[in-house]
Amino acid sequence: MSDRRQLALNLFIYPGGHHEAAWRYKGSAADRVLDISYYQELAKRAEAHKFDAIFFADGPALADNVRYAQRFRLEPITWLSAIAAVTSRIGLIATASTTYMEPYNLARLFASLDHISGGRAGWNIVTTSAPQAAQNFGLPEHPPHGERYERAREFIDVVTRLWDSWEDEALVNDPASGIFADTGKVHTIDHIGKHFRVRGPLNISRPPQGRPVYVQAGSSDDGRAFAARFAEAIFTAHQTLASAQEFYTAIKRQARVFDRSPDQIKVLPGISPFIGSTQAEADRLQDEFNALIQPEYSLTQLRQMIGLDLSGFDLDGPFPRHLIDTQSAQGVASRFKLVIDIVDRERPTIRQLVQRLAGARGHWVIAGPPEKIADNIQAWFEGGAADGFNVMPPWLPGGFDLFVEQVVPILRKRRLFRDDYTGTTLRDHYGLTRPESIFADTIQAIA
């Protein structure tokens, strides 16, 4: 592998693909949404093409409007454990909520996945934006944005200490001496905070990576501060090079405030490419998908993003910008800001806006021949906007096949992407250091 800086590429797997109408497209695998062999095939294909990781999103509630779209999925840790069994190198990133999980259970789940996979686990840290989740967990209402991030910060502190509670040399496992564990290197954490009381230690030894890779996907002010402090990889949504550059520069600057090396944070925007042999062919492909959009679903998605119900409006009329309340609580959300930026920049009709968002829920959708896709990836990568990308195929498996068969070879020819893996863990792939236990060289230990 070249010593040059290299792209990181993840396959972001949405069951049928990332366009909201993908499950209706003739080339999708809509009938295999609960078939684990389908996902294993996708993961093995991504590994064969030397992708850094696969990523699986999740939420602890049934999404609205399941009538019109594939809006449920398998539980991600279970899912990735099955993927780990048929792969050996590709990273495995799962989403889990700090609002609706407990630190001890989550720490144990991800430590187990990291051990099972030989050090390939990553945790996409979310606070959960779906308000309907609250009543699935005995809460009368969804906690406010700021409170969720306050809990998340304490949550990270607890799970970090739990993963570190076994030092690397604590597991002895020596039948001859009769010593299984060096208890002088196994530590209680004795955490007492506003949200959690956790004694520890964890009931499994330290993960191969020390800790799973910390991934974060929020771009609000709270989300950016959280990412700059904790995240090692950031999944982010941008529509323009300028927006991506602003985010990239700001997050790397904020990292220095927390005495972190900017090189230890990988910024990975989403890209959803419609690929054709010509621009006209790629445009026609995208039009095919947009023709399958169901307005009832699209308008529900839009209402969740901006808090405005447009179901009674003319789809081909102008977007009613004057009705948007930018001072509302929703106005701090990253996806709200992204949508309003599109409206202010492009002045779309309502139909044009929902088509823009249908491709990948606000992530960058690009249509064109393979060279155009590669040119844009290179421009963002070399222009201070990205360290790599979350590849979000409009449909699966065909949209991913086109990308790896037609775009990846161009990136390799330009020496932008690896020819082979040089390490075995997700940290190796991303070029991240393995953290030392915070309990190393301390004397506190269990008896």
Side-chain angles (χ1 to χ4, degrees):
M1 178 174 162
S2 169
D3 291 333
R4 292 179 57 183
R5 177 169 169 257
Q6 300 266 306
L7 280 162
L9 293 177
N10 301 327
L11 170 58
F12 182 172
I13 298 180
Y14 229 59
H18 285 271
H19 193 283
E20 68 183 42
W23 70 284
R24 303 184 66 201
Y25 182 64
K26 60 183 181 296
S28 76
D31 59 329
R32 300 186 67 189
V33 64
L34 296 176
D35 178 359
I36 191 59
S37 67
Y38 163 59
Y39 301 107
Q40 289 172 327
E41 290 163 13
L42 286 169
K44 288 191 287 186
R45 186 135 174 78
E47 184 171 75
H49 287 277
K50 315 307 177 186
F51 269 48
D52 293 72
I54 57 171
F55 166 54
F56 205 54
D58 191 48
L62 181 64
D64 289 342
N65 249 349
V66 70
R67 176 182 178 90
Y68 299 109
Q70 289 181 331
R71 297 289 283 164
F72 64 88
R73 63 204 69 186
L74 296 167
E75 190 282 317
I77 299 293
T78 307
W79 183 87
L80 284 172
S81 296
I83 302 297
V86 298
T87 58
S88 61
R89 292 292 188 89
I90 196 163
L92 309 168
I93 302 173
T95 300
S97 173
T98 58
T99 303
Y100 296 110
M101 292 194 77
E102 289 294 319
Y104 197 94
N105 287 342
L106 183 141
R108 190 181 183 202
L109 285 167
F110 275 94
S112 297
L113 178 61
D114 208 47
H115 279 289
I116 289 168
S117 65
R120 295 185 282 140
W123 172 30
N124 180 41
I125 305 162
V126 299
T127 64
T128 302
S129 60
Q132 63 267 41
Q135 294 183 24
N136 292 336
F137 294 88
L139 299 179
E141 60 184 10
H142 194 45
H145 183 89
E147 183 179 319
R148 297 200 308 273
Y149 272 97
E150 177 189 72
R151 176 185 165 104
R153 288 187 288 271
E154 185 178 341
F155 196 112
I156 288 283
D157 180 52
V158 174
V159 295
T160 298
R161 289 174 176 274
L162 286 170
W163 283 320
D164 286 358
S165 61
W166 285 66
E167 295 183 43
D168 290 322
E169 300 80 16
L171 181 61
V172 179
N173 200 16
D174 180 18
S177 67
I179 301 298
F180 180 74
D182 180 350
T183 52
K185 296 182 180 296
V186 181
H187 306 274
T188 60
I189 70 169
D190 296 320
H191 175 86
I192 301 175
K194 179 177 179 179
H195 299 279
F196 307 109
R197 296 174 64 96
V198 182
R199 179 179 184 272
L202 199 61
N203 60 349
I204 185 171
S205 60
R206 196 164 193 244
Q209 295 185 104
R211 304 160 202 158
V213 172
Y214 291 172
V215 182
Q216 199 265 350
S219 295
S220 65
D221 291 343
D222 282 336
R224 289 190 185 203
F226 187 89
R229 181 176 176 183
F230 298 111
E232 296 169 296
I234 301 173
F235 298 164
T236 182
H238 298 281
Q239 293 285 325
T240 66
L241 174 62
S243 171
Q245 288 170 325
E246 183 278 327
F247 178 85
Y248 187 95
T249 300
I251 208 74
K252 301 274 184 168
R253 185 190 306 118
Q254 280 182 281
R256 292 189 181 94
V257 174
F258 293 103
D259 198 27
R260 300 185 62 201
S261 168
D263 292 339
Q264 292 295 298
I265 302 177
K266 304 302 175 184
V267 177
L268 308 171
I271 180 172
S272 186
F274 286 90
I275 302 167
S277 59
T278 65
Q279 184 66 51
E281 182 180 297
D283 290 339
R284 283 196 298 271
L285 179 62
Q286 186 173 10
D287 288 343
E288 280 187 62
F289 278 80
N290 286 339
L292 298 173
I293 289 173
Q294 299 178 92
E296 296 92 336
Y297 178 82
S298 301
L299 294 175
T300 297
Q301 292 291 94
L302 186 59
R303 176 177 54 78
Q304 291 174 344
M305 291 181 184
I306 64 174
L308 182 62
D309 185 359
L310 298 174
S311 57
F313 286 71
D314 178 6
L315 290 178
D316 294 309
F319 181 89
R321 176 66 173 83
H322 62 286
L323 296 180
I324 296 295
D325 179 10
T326 57
Q327 302 304 312
S328 68
Q330 194 155 6
V332 304
S334 58
R335 209 53 56 95
F336 176 97
K337 295 178 180 178
L338 184 147
V339 174
I340 299 308
D341 284 348
I342 293 174
V343 171
D344 290 343
R345 185 175 61 250
E346 301 177 14
R347 305 293 179 182
T349 65
I350 296 172
R351 188 186 304 277
Q352 288 169 337
L353 180 60
V354 298
Q355 288 178 346
R356 288 280 271 107
L357 299 173
R361 303 170 307 285
H363 288 275
W364 181 29
V365 178
I366 180 171
E371 292 80 7
K372 175 183 174 180
I373 308 302
D375 288 347
N376 278 270
I377 287 174
Q378 183 172 0
W380 284 43
F381 180 58
E382 294 180 344
D387 295 307
F389 291 88
N390 263 341
V391 180
M392 304 168 64
W395 83 103
L396 289 168
F400 182 59
D401 291 340
L402 286 175
F403 185 84
V404 295
E405 291 167 4
Q406 298 186 20
V407 178
V408 169
I410 298 173
L411 299 175
R412 285 209 173 99
K413 186 177 180 180
R414 299 178 184 180
R415 299 173 62 207
L416 296 171
F417 187 61
R418 67 171 65 88
D419 293 312
D420 202 355
Y421 294 113
T422 57
T424 60
T425 71
L426 180 54
R427 289 186 177 277
D428 291 336
H429 303 340
Y430 282 163
L432 301 172
T433 58
R434 185 180 186 277
E436 184 179 15
S437 169
I438 60 176
F439 292 106
D441 301 323
T442 67
I443 59 172
Q444 175 200 10
I446 65 170

